[in-house]
Structures are given as structure tokens and as C-alpha cells.
Amino acid sequence: VLQGGSNITTAAGDIAVFVSDGSGRWRCVSYQTATSNVPVITSWTAYTPTFTGFGTVSGVDAYWRRVGDTLELDVRFVCGTSTATQARMSLPSGLTSVTGPNDHIAGYGFITVASAGVWTVIIEQTQTYVTFGKQDGSNGGLTKANGSTILSSGNVASFRAAVRIAGW
């Protein structure tokens, strides 16, 4: 049984998913041609990022995956002794953000401090890292911050972000 009752002319590389309805009939629930633009979605992969401004971090639980031309990040870590150095975290090896737009929010996260405000993940053009900011009564979320402005030793940080990658 085909969707819409129409015949399908197949070609090499097309993908169809059929499900049995239990009475000997099979129903097409999905059909994708080989030539259509389906985004690549990879499985989550663990990686070990490099951090700047957060001292010696611990408990790092960092994952990435590709969704089309976008890198998705899912990261959690414990801050070491933070410093007055711009807060950064490396992207997986070999990946660089696209050209344009100017600095923008790629994601946001939270930390284990009740009055911390929203912690922002900022992506810049053609970089191999993300920077961080903090949106609260004293700071703008698009302003790159030093590690000591965002986190203190022992704070746990967790965030999700999406970064468009050059060449994907």
C-alpha cells in the first residue's frame, strides 16, 4: 500500500520503509529518493575539548554530532580555578565555523549557582572554538566574558549549542 495510492518509480539508492499491517499487506510509511537533499545526521560522538579561562576542568562529558551543515554540542564540565582569560572551548578537531554572520548566540546553558543568569555560547566567524558570555543585570549575553566572570571553582556548567561548520 503506497502513500497517496500512487505508483513509485524507483531508482538505485532510493530508500523505502514498509510496515506489515498484520493481515499480509505491507504499507509504505516512508520513501526517500537518492537525489533528495536529506541532511546527514550522525550519532553522538564523545570528544575531549580544550578549555581556556576555566582552569583545569574535570568531569568533562562532551558530545557532538552532525546535522546537515550544523555541529550540535552537548557538554557538561566542572570548572577548575577560573582566570581573567577569555572563556573558550575548542570544537572537535578539524572543524571551523562558517564565515558570517558576526558574533551570535549558538546556544545557552546553566550552572549550579542560583543567581547566575543565563550563560551564553557565542560563535564567531571562521573559528575553531566557541566563546562564552553571561546575560544578567550587569552583562550582555553577546559580550565575550572571562572565565572568572562566568564560573567559580567547583561550579558545574552544562550547555547545548549549534554551530554551522564550513565545508559541510
Side-chain angles (χ1 to χ4, degrees):
V1 177
L2 301 176
Q3 297 174 355
S6 300
N7 290 333
I8 298 174
T9 302
T10 61
D14 289 359
I15 299 171
V17 177
F18 289 85
V19 175
S20 171
D21 66 8
S23 65
R25 293 184 347 175
W26 289 82
R27 181 172 308 276
C28 181
V29 295
S30 174
Y31 185 81
Q32 186 66 53
T33 65
T35 59
S36 65
N37 292 328
V38 177
V40 173
I41 301 175
T42 64
S43 298
W44 286 100
T45 303
Y47 86 108
T48 305
T50 302
F51 293 89
T52 303
F54 297 123
T56 303
V57 301
S58 60
V60 177
D61 196 17
Y63 293 88
W64 71 275
R65 73 175 176 178
R66 178 180 177 178
V67 178
D69 67 350
T70 302
L71 167 72
E72 289 187 351
L73 298 168
D74 185 0
V75 180
R76 181 184 189 278
F77 66 95
V78 179
C79 184
T81 302
S82 57
T83 64
T85 304
Q86 187 178 78
R88 294 183 180 179
M89 186 194 78
S90 65
L91 299 176
S93 180
L95 300 183
T96 302
S97 62
V98 298
T99 301
N102 291 326
D103 299 358
H104 67 279
I105 301 297
Y108 56 90
F110 298 93
I111 61 176
T112 54
V113 178
S115 61
V118 176
W119 193 55
T120 57
V121 182
I122 304 166
I123 188 63
E124 302 173 70
Q125 298 182 53
T126 62
Q127 296 300 326
T128 58
Y129 58 83
V130 293
T131 56
F132 300 98
K134 178 181 173 183
Q135 178 73 44
D136 61 16
S138 303
N139 302 286
L142 277 174
T143 302
K144 292 172 247 172
N146 292 335
S148 55
T149 301
I150 302 172
L151 299 174
S152 297
S153 181
N155 289 156
V156 178
S158 180
F159 70 89
R160 295 287 303 259
V163 177
R164 288 185 304 130
I165 297 299
W168 273 3

